[in-house]
């Protein structure tokens, strides 16, 4: 890994942004990498219209790449709409990491947080849809 990727990853790993939990999150989701058991858990508060991410925090355990990617992802998605989250691709995170070359197993480290976030958003939207349907 070249110095620039290494520096970005190490800096976020040592000083993760938005690390912690929030009270009463609208979305709380946890996911893990089945290959190693590393985990990421997000706590997300939405805006008053329940359309945008107002606050996002995470906790997790695992390798430097997975934890740095989670930190970077929180910075990318704060203020974004749930529709924009659905469109996010792994390239968005990799770009912010300095476009490191990562082999297949390391790509899973870098995308664990995105996988968790999308799981949370799609689950939330699914639940919202079913509760809206139930009151019609
Ligand atoms: Fe487990 Fe990287 S080694 S997510």
């Amino acid at each position: 890994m070249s110095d620039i990727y290494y520096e970005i990853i190490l800096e976020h790993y040592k000083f993760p942004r938005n690390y912690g939990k929030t009270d009463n999150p609208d979305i709380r989701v946890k996911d893990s990498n089945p290959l190693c058991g590393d985990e990421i858990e997000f706590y997300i508060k939405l805006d008053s219209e329940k359309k945008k991410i107002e606050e996002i925090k995470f906790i997790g355990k695992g390798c430097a790449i997975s934890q740095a990617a989670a930190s970077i992802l929180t910075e990318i998605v704060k203020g974004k709409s749930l529709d924009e989250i659905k469109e996010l691709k792994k390239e968005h995170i990799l770009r912010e990491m300095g476009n490191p070359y990562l082999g297949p197993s390391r790509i899973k480290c870098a995308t664990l947080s995105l996988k968790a976030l999308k799981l949370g958003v799609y689950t939330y939207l699914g639940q919202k849809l079913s509760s809206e349907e139930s009151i019609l």
Side-chain angles (χ1 to χ4, degrees), residues 69-86:
S71 168
I72 289 168
L73 187 61
T74 62
E75 292 196 312
I76 293 174
V77 302
K78 201 180 272 188
K80 289 220 181 322
S81 71
L82 298 183
D83 284 339
E84 287 174 300
I85 304 299
K86 291 195 297 190

Side-chain angles (χ1 to χ4, degrees), residues 5 33-34 52 55 58-59 79 85 92 103 108 110 125:
Y5 321 144
N33 181 343
K52 285 187 178 178
E55 184 180 5
F58 81 99
I59 56 172
I85 304 299
H92 290 107
K108 287 200 186 321
L125 291 173

Side-chain angles (χ1 to χ4, degrees), residues 6-136:
Y6 187 74
E7 276 174 30
I8 293 171
I9 289 166
L10 202 61
E11 207 271 331
H12 275 271
Y13 181 62
K14 280 185 172 171
F15 307 104
R17 317 305 193 267
N18 305 303
Y19 194 84
K21 301 177 181 180
T22 60
D23 292 332
N24 304 316
D26 294 293
I27 300 174
R28 179 178 174 183
V29 61
K30 184 178 187 175
D31 203 357
S32 63
N33 181 343
L35 298 176
C36 59
D38 291 350
E39 294 175 346
I40 298 289
E41 184 168 9
F42 284 112
Y43 294 78
I44 299 169
K45 282 196 172 177
L46 301 175
D47 68 342
S48 55
E49 295 183 351
K50 305 293 180 196
K51 291 192 170 159
K52 285 187 178 178
I53 292 184
E54 193 168 88
E55 184 180 5
I56 179 166
K57 292 192 174 269
F58 81 99
I59 56 172
K61 65 179 177 68
C63 69
I65 294 175
S66 69
Q67 304 305 301
S71 168
I72 289 168
L73 187 61
T74 62
E75 292 196 312
I76 293 174
V77 302
K78 201 180 272 188
K80 289 220 181 322
S81 71
L82 298 183
D83 284 339
E84 287 174 300
I85 304 299
K86 291 195 297 190
E87 300 302 317
L88 272 180
K89 305 274 184 262
K90 66 175 185 272
E91 287 74 16
H92 290 107
I93 297 180
L94 295 174
R95 191 184 318 131
E96 295 301 316
M97 293 177 110
N99 281 321
Y101 170 76
L102 299 172
S105 66
R106 286 308 193 176
I107 282 285
K108 287 200 186 321
C109 303
T111 56
L112 171 60
S113 54
L114 182 59
K115 187 164 74 82
L117 180 63
K118 287 204 176 191
L119 174 68
V121 167
Y122 277 100
T123 303
Y124 173 80
L125 291 173
Q127 285 173 349
K128 193 165 166 250
L129 187 64
S130 14
S131 64
E132 279 171 2
E133 281 169 351
S134 68
I135 58 167
L136 291 177

